Amino acid sequence: MRNWDDIPQFMKKEEVKIFYELLSKHKTELVIKRAMDVFIAGILTIILLPLLLALAILIKLDSEGEVFFRQVRVTQYGKRFRIFKFRTMVKEADKMGTMVTTEGDTRITRIGKILRKYRLDEIPQLFNILSGDMTFVGTRPEVEKYVMHYTDEMKATLLMPAGLTSMASIKYKDEEKLLNSNGNVDVDKVYVMEVLPMKMKYNIEALENFSIFNDIKTMFLTVLKVFVDKEGV
């Protein structure tokens, strides 16, 4: 964890400092968190390698385009990185609409629907975790376009690496329905004005109550949600 003086200027807000001081009390747990990330991600990468190869083949057979979707996202301290995901949309889907997915999005491929339902498209983010750009539990990484709309309090989530999963991912299930584009609805505006603030309430709460125990609980609930809830996360 950086010293306050080394925090990027755009994050040096009183609202952020409150959470910085809270996290400063958990330095040992933060070290353990990183060690757990490396250990678990390393083991899972080895175990899931056959599945990764199988899914890569299915994606190539299903539609034209690359196996991986790589997009610039924002993580700890505002650092930009390229996220690894299995491609679930048609080639150059980002040029055909908004950066968020709406309900019944026609850009999603056949195999992509299955990957999204069970969050299999997220597996390659194990590489992002190993590199240190992400962690297992934390605020989901946004594209810079949406980070620009963060309030000062929301910027506190950038004190931690972006996460593979979070309580916001588990609890907030209606994102695609709210973003369902019809008529002249501005999907990006709906996301920034309605969806993002609601998701951030959970992210801020998780930051305020950070502990290794809560991280493990979130990981357990995520697995439960994916394999028990037919709607997925």
Side-chain angles (χ1 to χ4, degrees), residues 56-166:
I57 293 173
L58 289 174
I59 291 169
K60 288 297 290 185
L61 292 175
D62 183 54
S63 62
E64 180 184 358
E66 300 295 326
V67 169
F68 294 110
F69 170 71
R70 304 213 55 195
Q71 185 182 57
V72 176
R73 301 285 181 96
V74 179
T75 186
Q76 191 175 33
Y77 305 127
K79 177 186 175 183
R80 297 166 182 78
F81 76 104
R82 286 191 175 275
I83 195 171
F84 270 106
K85 297 182 72 173
F86 275 130
R87 180 176 59 82
T88 60
M89 290 188 170
V90 296
K91 185 178 180 180
E92 298 185 339
D94 55 331
K95 298 179 181 179
M96 302 177 187
T98 181
M99 292 184 179
V100 291
T101 308
T102 57
E103 185 180 28
D105 201 314
T106 58
R107 296 174 297 174
I108 300 176
T109 62
R110 289 173 298 178
I111 188 67
K113 291 179 181 178
I114 298 174
L115 294 178
R116 282 174 174 268
K117 180 177 181 180
Y118 296 105
R119 296 193 69 175
L120 296 174
D121 58 317
E122 311 282 1
I123 294 178
Q125 286 166 47
L126 290 171
F127 302 131
N128 290 125
I129 292 174
L130 288 171
S131 70
D133 288 326
M134 290 182 65
T135 181
F136 273 104
V137 180
T139 301
R140 289 294 296 161
E142 296 282 2
V143 295
E144 190 173 14
K145 173 181 179 179
Y146 300 130
V147 174
M148 295 296 290
H149 292 278
Y150 277 14
T151 63
D152 288 344
E153 185 180 49
M154 291 178 185
K155 292 174 184 176
T157 60
L158 298 176
L159 289 169
M160 302 276 277
L164 177 64
T165 188
S166 66

Side-chain angles (χ1 to χ4, degrees), residues 215-228:
D215 271 14
I216 294 174
K217 177 182 176 182
T218 299
M219 292 170 68
F220 174 77
L221 289 175
T222 298
V223 174
L224 192 65
K225 185 73 174 177
V226 170
F227 292 102
V228 176

Side-chain angles (χ1 to χ4, degrees), residues 195-231:
V195 179
L196 184 61
M198 287 189 280
K199 290 169 65 176
M200 276 299 183
K201 287 182 180 179
Y202 292 117
N203 293 325
I204 292 295
E205 181 180 345
L207 194 64
E208 187 174 15
N209 298 300
F210 168 74
S211 72
I212 294 297
F213 174 77
N214 284 336
D215 271 14
I216 294 174
K217 177 182 176 182
T218 299
M219 292 170 68
F220 174 77
L221 289 175
T222 298
V223 174
L224 192 65
K225 185 73 174 177
V226 170
F227 292 102
V228 176
D229 191 328
K230 294 182 179 181
E231 293 182 358

Side-chain angles (χ1 to χ4, degrees), residues 160-176:
M160 302 276 277
L164 177 64
T165 188
S166 66
M167 289 306 294
S169 301
I170 296 169
K171 293 183 177 181
Y172 195 72
K173 300 180 295 183
D174 301 320
E175 178 174 328
E176 291 187 1

